[in-house]
Amino acid sequence: VLENETELRLLNFENNAISRIRHLDGLHNLIFLDLYNNQISAIEGLEAVPSIRVLMLGRNKIRKIGGLDNCKQLDVLDLHANRLTGC
């Protein structure tokens, strides 16, 4: 859990065993989140970071795209090497 990091803009948690996106509350200035090569199966928990502009989720276990409604500033979304299927 990240506390008192209100000015944090870049966060890199690639190559871990993270299975869920959570505990981002209070990171209102976060613009870059790198969760490449983890165990994430769903895009969730991003309502806490409406300023996110770059979201790196390549090499996870994501099956469908969703949970991005609050990400109005999102410019880059990397989902390569996931488990996405056709619409």
Side-chain angles (χ1 to χ4, degrees):
V1 178
L2 297 168
E3 294 180 2
N4 302 317
E5 297 293 342
T6 58
E7 300 303 314
L8 189 67
R9 295 174 51 86
L10 309 172
L11 190 55
N12 184 327
F13 282 128
E14 66 179 279
N15 301 316
N16 285 281
I18 295 170
S19 59
R20 293 183 60 201
I21 304 170
R22 56 187 180 165
H23 301 302
L24 299 176
D25 298 322
L27 302 179
H28 304 292
N29 291 312
L30 191 69
I31 60 170
F32 183 96
L33 179 57
D34 189 347
L35 293 165
Y36 175 85
N37 197 28
N38 279 286
Q39 303 296 313
I40 297 167
S41 59
I43 302 171
E44 60 188 358
L46 298 173
E47 54 279 340
V49 288
S51 60
I52 196 78
R53 297 192 68 159
V54 178
L55 182 57
M56 308 300 286
L57 290 169
R59 293 201 178 274
N60 277 283
K61 297 180 178 182
I62 297 168
R63 294 188 179 276
K64 68 178 186 172
I65 299 171
L68 298 170
D69 294 338
N70 197 46
C71 301
K72 307 286 186 207
Q73 310 273 341
L74 192 64
D75 290 324
V76 176
L77 175 61
D78 179 1
L79 291 170
H80 82 278
N82 273 281
R83 297 178 179 173
L84 297 169
T85 58
C87 297

